[in-house]
Amino acid sequence: MKVNDYLPEELKTKYFDFKPRNYPDDKFCSDLLEQIKLSYDNCNYYQDELCKNFDFTIPDKLTIEDLETIPYIPTDLYKKSENLILQFLKVPLDKIALFSCSSSTTGDPSIVPRTVEDFDQIQYNSIKVFTDFFRWDDYKVGSKISLIFNFSPGRLLMSFMAKKNAKGFEYVKKTRYFTACMNKPWEFYGQEEYMVKPKFLKTIWAILSTFSIKGGFVLDVSRLLKMVEKVAKTGHWKGKEIVKILFGGSPLLMNNMFEKRLLKENMFYDLDGISFVGCGGGGWDGVKGEAKLDVVDKVRFIDNYEKVFNIRRKDIGDIYAFTEGPTLFGGHWSEKYQDFLLHCPDTSRIIVRDTENLEPVKEGIEGLLEVITPYGVNGSINQAVLVDDIVELISKNKCPECGYEGATFRIIGRLKNAQGKSCSSIIDWLH
């Protein structure tokens, strides 16, 4: 069963001719207040637990200065094991088009109910970040197309994997990986080659029942090299003129390509000017889904792309996102920080909270990331979520390096890794 069995066909191409919307503070706050009211009126958990424990009363008007006072929910509570997912609904169950699932390594994924309107917004958010940070408009020029090497399994395969990961959840048949939503647009914009493939078709069902990225699947680097060499020599692939090459997806798997093969075999290509690297889906810490490899040294990773493919730092970007929210944060490499600086789009606002008292921190200080948005959250009460990731708040208003409007931050690590506890465990009213 395909993802588009549940979602409208027009979502495939709806935002390909991308036109940005405007989300000024007054509209943002007005729309957020409406989502808060919907949550209060339609979700007993929101009213009885969140609002009560935050001592929150719905105001007549909401301003940007008020954002730090609204109730937020820790992402941990969306875990399958918490058995609270359906309690977070703020629409009838028949309005839920799909459930988004995280690729958990523990067998305890987050699962988020979403409406068609939520997926419509996620599609917009995806193409906005591709446009702002991955040069989306450059990948199709007239009859020319691009090669997209996506370091990920294909969406159909991912749908089987999501069902396995969410096994035991009541609506597992309507559950898909959140990252599949972000991969989809590239399929209709060029030649997308998913890099993670099954080893043997005859054992596909056995593989899916005991999925292991090392045992059941291979990273098809040989095909990538064949395609790159062909384009480098002729400028074409299968009769189509190639305008750009994009390396996208998991940096963990990209790093594996360098360390396990390309560097060992001294393979070098000159793709300067025609290629871009768009990382996404996380995995810098060495863990992504069932893949457990070495921690990725970001500086070495950047150097490897320049060494092997002659792709410069200015042509390497990153996306940060998490299943529990609809927002995608795009970023660029910073020589000053030797890290990716990530930017908050105007569809969202962020607050960085101190890990001890949960108070908002100042610029230059580390804390837990809270993401607030009224867009793409029609199905659940996830308009304000507190994430387990520790970030450094670089700027509240504008990137000091590229000038992108909105808050700028960088990822430091995970709360669980750093302190052995989760977001929910530091909020004393949660039991």
Side-chain angles (χ1 to χ4, degrees), residues 270-285:
D270 187 1
L271 302 182
D272 182 35
I274 67 166
S275 289
F276 189 85
V277 179
C279 304
W284 294 104
D285 58 357

Side-chain angles (χ1 to χ4, degrees), residues 219-421:
L219 195 62
D220 197 355
V221 178
S222 295
R223 180 163 174 81
L224 178 149
L225 297 178
K226 177 182 177 181
M227 296 172 75
V228 165
E229 288 168 359
K230 179 74 172 179
V231 172
K233 289 179 181 178
T234 69
H236 290 74
W237 176 254
K238 291 189 175 180
K240 291 283 188 178
E241 187 173 358
I242 303 302
V243 63
K244 292 287 183 182
I245 295 175
L246 173 71
F247 297 86
S250 169
L252 180 63
L253 298 180
M254 294 182 192
N255 192 62
N256 183 266
M257 170 185 69
F258 286 119
E259 300 295 342
K260 301 300 181 182
R261 181 166 180 184
L262 301 189
L263 293 173
K264 288 184 176 181
E265 297 181 14
N266 293 314
M267 308 185 82
F268 305 104
Y269 304 87
D270 187 1
L271 302 182
D272 182 35
I274 67 166
S275 289
F276 189 85
V277 179
C279 304
W284 294 104
D285 58 357
V287 178
K288 180 59 182 175
E290 297 292 336
K292 300 178 183 178
L293 303 170
D294 296 331
V295 172
V296 181
D297 183 306
K298 292 182 182 179
V299 176
R300 179 174 169 83
F301 177 87
I302 294 289
D303 288 342
N304 285 342
Y305 260 111
E306 187 163 13
K307 181 187 300 182
V308 174
F309 292 112
N310 198 25
I311 299 176
R312 312 303 174 86
R313 285 160 165 73
K314 65 180 179 60
D315 295 324
I316 302 178
D318 190 23
I319 289 176
Y320 167 77
F322 52 91
T323 301
E324 297 84 1
T327 308
L328 287 78
F329 302 87
H332 57 78
W333 182 253
S334 167
E335 288 299 316
K336 175 181 178 180
Y337 290 94
Q338 292 291 283
D339 201 353
F340 289 100
L341 297 190
L342 297 160
H343 305 77
C344 185
D346 60 359
T347 55
S348 299
R349 305 293 187 270
I350 68 167
I351 297 172
V352 179
R353 294 186 178 274
D354 185 273
T355 57
E356 297 299 326
N357 58 28
L358 295 176
E359 291 297 318
V361 305
K362 297 179 179 179
E363 292 180 350
I365 305 299
E366 298 175 8
L368 294 171
L369 179 66
E370 179 189 351
V371 180
I372 304 169
T373 182
Y375 309 113
V377 293
N378 294 290
S380 187
I381 57 172
N382 57 333
Q383 60 266 2
V385 293
L386 188 67
V387 190
D388 265 346
D389 290 318
I390 298 176
V391 306
E392 177 186 354
L393 180 61
I394 303 298
S395 171
K396 291 185 177 181
N397 301 308
K398 181 188 290 188
C399 177
E401 297 189 2
C402 75
Y404 194 89
E405 295 286 343
T408 306
F409 63 97
R410 69 187 186 103
I411 305 294
I412 302 299
R414 282 188 175 270
L415 179 68
K416 289 178 181 176
N417 294 344
Q419 301 184 15
K421 54 187 177 181

